[in-house]
C-alpha cells in the first residue's frame, strides 16, 4: 500500500489505518484496491459527546485515575494529599534535604526583607505590611503548593498594579486606614479569583495572555517601576501619582532645581552600582549566586548605619522611619464586604490575581522543567488563592511567586517548599525583634534595591527572538510594552489581552490553505511553496485546508479554494494545458467541522458542478466524516469521491500520473 506522509512527518496512512482498525464497523473498513476506505467511528450519544467534551476541557489530566480500585481509607488519604501535597513529600523528608532548604531559606530571607519593605512602599502600604506578606502566605503555600522551587512573597509588578489602581479611589496619605482596607479587600478577591479558577479547573483562561504579551508587559512594568523609584532615588518630596513615562519625566525635571537632594542621590547611586556589580558577579559565576542574594541586605545595613551616624535625615535624606513591631494582626473585619468600595476591590483583586497567577505558574513550570518534575496548574491556583484569602485576613497584600527570589532559591539548592518555611520564620523573627533597627534606612536604598531587581524583568533577548519568529507576536509584545509605559499597567494589560485575542481571531477566521504537488518518484504530496520540485498533476487541483472549518472561516475557505481554482485555470489557459476536471481537498489537518462548514462545502460543490469539475475529499478525520455522513453530504458528493489519501484519489482519477511514478 502506498504511503502518504503529512507535513508534520507522520504517516497519514498509518494514522488513519490505526484509527479505523479501532472501530470495527463492517461498512466503514474494508480493502479497496490497494488501500482502505475512510473509516467512520461508531456514532456516540448526545450525552457521551457532551461528557467527552467536558472531560477534555476540564479534566484533560484525568485526575480521578489514581483513585481507581483503592479502598476508601486510601482514597481519603490520597484526597488529602491532593489538597495538601506536604502529606506526600513530607513522609520522605530527611535531614539532608533540610540542610539544602535551610541554606536556601536563609538566603532568600536576606533578599526578601529589604525587597518587601520597598515593594510595600510601591503599593503605598506601610512597610511592615510587605513583611507580613512574606510570613503567612509562604507558610500556607508550603503546605498546599506543588512547586519545590517557588519563593512566595510580594512582587514588584503586582505591587505597582495595586498602588496605581487603588490610589485612584482613595488617597493613601490622607486616608491610610481606608486605603489599607481596600488593599486587603483586593487581596481577598484576588485569592477568591485564583482559588475559583483552580477549583473549577478554569486554568486555561490565563493562557489567553500569550508569552509575547507577558514579555512586553513585564518589560513595560519594569521601566514604569524603575521610573517610580526616581522619587526616592533623587529625594523628590512632591512627585506625580501617575505612572506613565510622560507624567513621571515632567515631575522629575520639574523638580530639578529645587527638589533633588544630592546626599540622597549619592547614597542611591553608590549602592545601585554596588547592587548591579553584585548581580553581575552572581550571573557570571553561578557558584557566587549568594553575592547578589545578600547584597540588598548588606546595602540596607551599611546605608542605615551611615545615615544614623551622620544624621543625614536632618539634611533632607528621607528615611523609612518606624516599622511597626510584632507579627500580623488580624484584618478580616477590615475587608469591605459591602459598600461602594466592594466593586473596586473585586475588580482590582481579579486583575491582580490573574497577573499573580500568570507569573507564579510561569515561574513554577520553568523551574519544574529544570529539575524534571511536573506541577499541577489547577492545584497551584487553589494553593495561591487560599494563601491570599488567608493573607487578606492577616494584614497581607497580594503575594505570589517572585522570579528573582525563586531563582536564588533554586541556585541555593532548595529541595522542597520548606525553604519558604525557613524564610517565613526569619521574617517572623525580624518582625518580632529587629524592625526598630530599620528606622534610619534611607528610602534611596530601597529605590536602588527595587531598580536593580526589576531590571531582570526586561527580557530583550526574548523580545528579539519573538521579532524574528513571529511579527504578529511581536506586535502583541510591543503593544503591551507601549500601553504600560505611556498609559498605565491596567491599559497595558488590556492591550496585551486584546492583541492576543485579535491574533487568535485572525488565525481562526483566516486559516492557511496550500496548493499540493507530487514529489518526483514518490506518492507523497506536498505544499508547492515549500517544495518547489513538487509537480502539479495535470487535470487535477489539490488543495489542503490547514484548520478546522467553522462558521468563522467557512466562507473564507470556500472563497480561497475557488480563488486557487481561478488562478490555476488562468495559468493553464496561458500555458495551454489540460483543463482541470477534479478538485481534491486534503482534509487531514481539519480536526472539526460545523454546520456552516458543511454548508460551505455544499456551496463549493454546486460552484464546481457549474464548471463541470468533480469535488473529491481526501483523509477526513473521524469527527469530520461522521458529521459529513450525518448531514448526508457523503450521499451528495458520493462515497466514491472520498479517499483515504491524496495518492489514492490521484490513482483513481489520473492513473497515468501514478503509472509514471
Amino acid at each position: 500500500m502506498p504511503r502518504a506522509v503529512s507535513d508534520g512527518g507522520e504517516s497519514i496512512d498509518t494514522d488513519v489505518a490505526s484509527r479505523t482498525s479501532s472501530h470495527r464497523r463492517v461498512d466503514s473498513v474494508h480493502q479497496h484496491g490497494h488501500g482502505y476506505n475512510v473509516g467512520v467511528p461508531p456514532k456516540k450519544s448526545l450525552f457521551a459527546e457532551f461528557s467527552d467534551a467536558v472531560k477534555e476541557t476540564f479534566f484533560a489530566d484525568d485526575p480521578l485515575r489514581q483513585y481507581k480500585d483503592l479502598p476508601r481509607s486510601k482514597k481519603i488519604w490520597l484526597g488529602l494529599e491532593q489538597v495538601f501535597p506536604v502529606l506526600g513529600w513530607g513522609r520522605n523528608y530527611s535531614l539532608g534535604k533540610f540542610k539544602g532548604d535551610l541554606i536556601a531559606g536563609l538566603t532568600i530571607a536576606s533578599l526578601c526583607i529589604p525587597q518587601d519593605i520597598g515593594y510595600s512602599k510601591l503599593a503605598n502600604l506601610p512597610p511592615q505590611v510587605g513583611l507580613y506578606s512574606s510570613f503567612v502566605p509562604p507558610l500556607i503555600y508550603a503546605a498546599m503548593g506543588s512547586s519545590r522551587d517557588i519563593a512566595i512573597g510580594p512582587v514588584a509588578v503586582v505591587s505597582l498594579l495595586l498602588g496605581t489602581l487603588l490610589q485612584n479611589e482613595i488617597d493613601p496619605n490622607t486616608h491610610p486606614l481606608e486605603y489599607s482596607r481596600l488593599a486587603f479587600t483586593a487581596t481577598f478577591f484576588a485569592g477568591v479569583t485564583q482559588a475559583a479558577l483552580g477549583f473549577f479547573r478554569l486554568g486555561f483562561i490565563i493562557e489567553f495572555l500569550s508569552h509575547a504579551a507577558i514579555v512586553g508587559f513585564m518589560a513595560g512594568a519594569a521601566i514604569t517601576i524603575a521610573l517610580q523609584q526616581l522619587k526616592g532615588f533623587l529625594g523628590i518630596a512632591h512627585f506625580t501619582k501617575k505612572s506613565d513615562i510622560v507624567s513621571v519625566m515632567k515631575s522629575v525635571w520639574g523638580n530639578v532645581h529645587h527638589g533633588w537632594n544630592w546626599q540622597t542621590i549619592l547614597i542611591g547611586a553608590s549602592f545601585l552600582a554596588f547592587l548591579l556589580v553584585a548581580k553581575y558577579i552572581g550571573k557570571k559565576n553561578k557558584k557566587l549566586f549568594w553575592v547578589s542574594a545578600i547584597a540588598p541586605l548588606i546595602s540596607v545595613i551599611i546605608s542605615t548605619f551611615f545615615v544614623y551616624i551622620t544624621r543625614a535625615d536632618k539634611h533632607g535624606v528621607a528615611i523609612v522611619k518606624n516599622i511597626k513591631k510584632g507579627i500580623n494582626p488580624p484584618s478580616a473585619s477590615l475587608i469591605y464586604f459591602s459598600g461602594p468600595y466592594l466593586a473596586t476591590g473585586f475588580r482590582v483583586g481579579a486583575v491582580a490575581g490573574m497577573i499573580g497567577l500568570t507569573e507564579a505558574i510561569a515561574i513554577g513550570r520553568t523551574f519544574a522543567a529544570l529539575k524534571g518534575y511536573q506541577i499541577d496548574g489547577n492545584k497551584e491556583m487553589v494553593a495561591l488563592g487560599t494563601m491570599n484569602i488567608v493573607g487578606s485576613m492577616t494584614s497581607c497584600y497580594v503575594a505570589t511567586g517572585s522570579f528573582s527570589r525563586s531563582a536564588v532559591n533554586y541556585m541555593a539548592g532548595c529541595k522542597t517548599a520548606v525553604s519558604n518555611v525557613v524564610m517565613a520564620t526569619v521574617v517572623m523573627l525580624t518582625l518580632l525583634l529587629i524592625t526598630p533597627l530599620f528606622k534610619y534606612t534611607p528610602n534611596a536604598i530601597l529605590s536602588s534595591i527595587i531598580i536593580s531587581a526589576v531590571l531582570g524583568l526586561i527580557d530583550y533577548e526574548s523580545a528579539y527572538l519573538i521579532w524574528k519568529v513571529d511579527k504578529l507576536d511581536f506586535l502583541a509584545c510591543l503593544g503591551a510594552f507601549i500601553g504600560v509605559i505611556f498609559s498605565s499597567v491596567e491599559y497595558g494589560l488590556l492591550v496585551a489581552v486584546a492583541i492576543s485575542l485579535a491574533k487568535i481571531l485572525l488565525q481562526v477566521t483566516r486559516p492557511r490553505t496550500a496548493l499540493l504537488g507530487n514529489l518526483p518518484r514518490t506518492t507523497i504530496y506536498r505544499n508547492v511553496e515549500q517544495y518547489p520540485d513538487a509537480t502539479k498533476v495535470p487535470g487535477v487541483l489539490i488543495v489542503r485546508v490547514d484548520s478546522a472549518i467553522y462558521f468563522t472561516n467557512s466562507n473564507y475557505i470556500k472563497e480561497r479554494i475557488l480563488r486557487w481554482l481561478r488562478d490555476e485555470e488562468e495559468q493553464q489557459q496561458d500555458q495551454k494545458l489540460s483543463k482541470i476536471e477534479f478538485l481534491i481537498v486534503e482534509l487531514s489537518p481539519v480536526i472539526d467541522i460545523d454546520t456552516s462548514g458543511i454548508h460551505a462545502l455544499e456551496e463549493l460543490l454546486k460552484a464546481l458542478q457549474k464548471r463541470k469539475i468533480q469535488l473529491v475529499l481526501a483523509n477526513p478525520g473521524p469527527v469530520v466524516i461522521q458529521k459529513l455522513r450525518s448531514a448526508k453530504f457523503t450521499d451528495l458528493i458520493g462515497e466514491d469521491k472520498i479517499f483515504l489519501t491524496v495518492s489514492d484519489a490521484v490513482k483513481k482519477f489520473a492513473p497515468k500520473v501514478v503509472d509514471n511514478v
Side-chain angles (χ1 to χ4, degrees):
M1 184 178 71
R3 292 168 69 84
V5 184
S6 72
D7 269 0
E10 295 94 9
S11 165
I12 292 171
D13 286 15
T14 305
D15 177 50
V16 178
S18 64
R19 191 165 63 220
T20 53
S21 65
S22 63
H23 307 290
R24 304 293 183 186
R25 282 176 61 110
V26 176
D27 65 328
S28 64
V29 184
H30 58 274
Q31 283 201 303
H32 178 73
H34 294 289
Y36 286 93
N37 274 355
V38 172
V40 183
K43 192 171 175 65
K44 292 180 182 177
S45 66
L46 180 64
F47 176 76
E49 278 191 30
F50 178 74
S51 61
D52 282 354
V54 169
K55 184 181 177 183
E56 207 53 43
T57 304
F58 300 104
F59 306 100
D61 55 343
D62 193 11
L64 299 178
R65 69 188 183 283
Q66 53 196 329
Y67 293 92
K68 289 174 184 172
D69 306 321
L70 288 177
R72 180 178 287 185
S73 59
K74 283 197 174 179
K75 283 181 180 177
I76 292 170
W77 180 257
L78 203 57
L80 286 170
E81 274 188 24
Q82 291 299 306
V83 180
F84 302 102
V86 65
L87 296 175
W89 57 259
R91 284 179 295 181
N92 303 316
Y93 198 68
S94 64
L95 185 62
K97 287 181 179 177
F98 179 68
K99 285 177 184 174
D101 288 334
L102 180 64
I103 293 166
L106 292 172
T107 310
I108 55 175
S110 69
L111 176 64
C112 87
I113 291 166
Q115 278 188 350
D116 290 345
I117 296 169
Y119 291 158
S120 58
K121 281 190 170 291
L122 198 58
N124 299 315
L125 289 163
Q128 65 270 13
V129 175
L131 293 170
Y132 294 160
S133 305
S134 277
F135 172 43
V136 172
L139 294 175
I140 305 292
Y141 182 84
M144 297 185 69
S146 59
S147 171
R148 304 172 199 164
D149 302 280
I150 285 184
I152 297 295
V155 294
V157 175
V158 176
S159 301
L160 173 72
L161 186 75
L162 285 177
T164 52
L165 296 184
L166 297 182
Q167 72 178 1
N168 294 336
E169 300 294 326
I170 301 173
D171 189 325
N173 297 316
T174 53
H175 302 94
L177 178 61
E178 287 79 3
Y179 182 87
S180 294
R181 290 186 67 185
L182 187 55
F184 299 147
T185 306
T187 303
F188 176 80
F189 285 111
V192 168
T193 303
Q194 293 171 333
L197 287 174
F199 183 77
F200 293 110
R201 304 185 72 81
L202 297 171
F204 58 86
I205 289 173
I206 64 168
E207 306 294 345
F208 281 103
L209 260 181
S210 67
H211 170 68
I214 291 169
V215 168
F217 174 77
M218 288 295 189
I223 290 173
T224 303
I225 291 163
L227 290 172
Q228 289 278 302
Q229 297 315 301
L230 292 176
K231 176 186 179 182
F233 193 83
L234 302 173
I236 299 171
H238 303 289
F239 199 71
T240 181
K241 288 185 178 179
K242 294 180 180 177
S243 63
D244 64 283
I245 191 169
V246 176
S247 300
V248 170
M249 294 318 292
K250 275 184 182 176
S251 189
V252 168
W253 293 116
N255 284 286
V256 69
H257 295 300
H258 56 275
W260 292 18
N261 180 278
W262 71 266
Q263 293 100 326
T264 302
I265 295 170
L266 181 65
I267 293 168
S270 56
F271 281 102
L272 178 60
F274 168 67
L275 289 165
L276 293 176
V277 169
K279 184 176 271 192
Y280 177 78
I281 291 168
K283 201 173 182 180
K284 278 291 175 186
N285 189 339
K286 299 293 182 188
K287 289 181 180 178
L288 296 175
F289 70 90
W290 54 270
V291 174
S292 59
I294 65 166
L297 190 60
I298 290 170
S299 302
V300 167
I301 293 167
I302 294 172
S303 61
T304 303
F305 180 70
F306 174 76
V307 170
Y308 177 71
I309 59 169
T310 61
R311 295 316 304 263
D313 55 308
K314 302 282 187 187
H315 302 283
V317 174
I319 56 174
V320 171
K321 295 179 182 172
N322 290 325
I323 298 180
K324 195 174 176 184
K325 201 174 178 182
I327 58 171
N328 309 34
S331 58
S333 60
L334 299 178
I335 298 171
Y336 289 115
F337 288 112
S338 61
Y341 294 125
L342 175 63
T344 303
F346 177 77
R347 177 176 58 85
V348 175
V351 174
M354 295 287 274
I355 293 294
L357 269 188
T358 306
E359 190 170 352
I361 289 176
I363 292 164
R365 284 176 180 166
T366 301
F367 290 109
L370 288 172
K371 283 192 176 177
Y373 69 94
Q374 285 186 316
I375 63 166
D376 185 325
N378 291 302
K379 202 183 290 182
E380 284 294 286
M381 291 176 197
V382 172
L384 292 163
T386 305
M387 78 180 193
N388 278 317
I389 291 170
V390 175
S392 69
M393 298 177 182
T394 51
S395 301
C396 305
Y397 76 99
V398 183
T400 187
S402 162
F403 187 81
S404 58
R405 274 178 249 175
S406 299
V408 169
N409 196 29
Y410 170 79
M411 288 187 286
C414 72
K415 303 298 180 188
T416 66
V418 171
S419 60
N420 274 296
V421 177
V422 174
M423 177 192 74
T425 306
V426 175
V427 171
M428 178 192 72
L429 293 172
T430 303
L431 283 164
L432 289 172
L433 304 173
I434 61 173
T435 47
L437 298 180
F438 290 106
K439 181 180 179 181
Y440 291 99
T441 300
N443 287 340
I445 197 66
L446 300 176
S447 297
S448 300
I449 289 167
I450 292 172
I451 291 169
S452 69
V454 298
L455 289 178
L457 296 177
I458 304 172
D459 192 351
Y460 57 87
E461 289 178 354
S462 286
Y464 178 64
L465 186 65
I466 291 164
W467 164 257
K468 285 206 304 183
V469 173
D470 192 325
K471 301 299 184 284
L472 267 178
D473 253 5
F474 184 76
L475 187 64
C477 178
L478 191 64
F481 177 76
I482 290 171
V484 172
I485 64 169
F486 284 104
S487 183
S488 68
V489 176
E490 192 177 22
Y491 283 113
L493 190 61
L494 286 173
V495 169
V497 173
I499 294 175
S500 297
L501 289 174
K503 187 188 174 192
I504 293 170
L505 288 173
L506 187 65
Q507 289 172 336
V508 168
T509 57
R510 293 293 181 267
R512 295 172 191 263
T513 57
L515 207 59
L516 304 187
N518 176 242
L519 292 179
R521 297 176 299 282
T522 72
T523 56
I524 297 170
Y525 291 82
R526 282 286 189 271
N527 187 338
V528 293
E529 282 186 14
Q530 187 180 359
Y531 298 90
D533 291 346
T535 55
K536 294 171 186 174
V537 179
V540 180
L541 181 69
I542 308 166
V543 178
R544 190 185 67 224
V545 179
D546 289 338
S547 161
I549 306 175
Y550 292 132
F551 67 95
T552 53
N553 61 23
S554 57
N555 194 57
Y556 168 78
I557 288 171
K558 179 197 74 177
E559 297 292 340
R560 189 69 188 89
I561 291 172
L562 290 172
R563 186 146 51 96
W564 279 120
L565 182 62
R566 187 179 67 242
D567 294 345
E568 202 64 23
E569 284 178 333
E570 287 174 2
Q571 244 185 9
Q572 289 182 343
Q573 279 179 0
D574 293 342
Q575 296 173 11
K576 296 181 180 177
L577 298 171
S578 57
K579 182 181 175 296
I580 290 175
E581 296 179 36
F582 302 96
L583 171 68
I584 300 173
V585 181
E586 155 75 300
L587 293 175
S588 56
V590 180
I591 56 169
D592 200 2
I593 190 168
D594 65 2
T595 50
S596 298
I598 295 169
H599 183 64
L601 287 181
E602 289 170 354
E603 289 182 347
L604 177 65
L605 180 63
K606 288 174 188 174
L608 293 174
Q609 284 172 342
K610 287 179 183 176
R611 300 187 189 197
K612 295 183 179 176
I613 296 171
Q614 294 186 56
L615 176 63
V616 180
L617 303 182
N619 195 24
V623 175
V624 175
I625 191 65
Q626 198 171 58
K627 289 186 178 180
L628 292 179
R629 281 216 167 173
S630 299
K632 301 277 193 283
F633 183 78
T634 51
D635 296 340
L636 198 63
I637 191 175
E639 292 279 358
D640 60 331
K641 299 289 194 314
I642 302 174
F643 289 83
L644 190 64
T645 68
V646 172
S647 176
D648 286 348
V650 172
K651 190 188 298 179
K652 172 77 182 279
F653 298 113
K656 288 181 182 177
V657 176
V658 178
D659 292 340
N660 292 332
V661 172

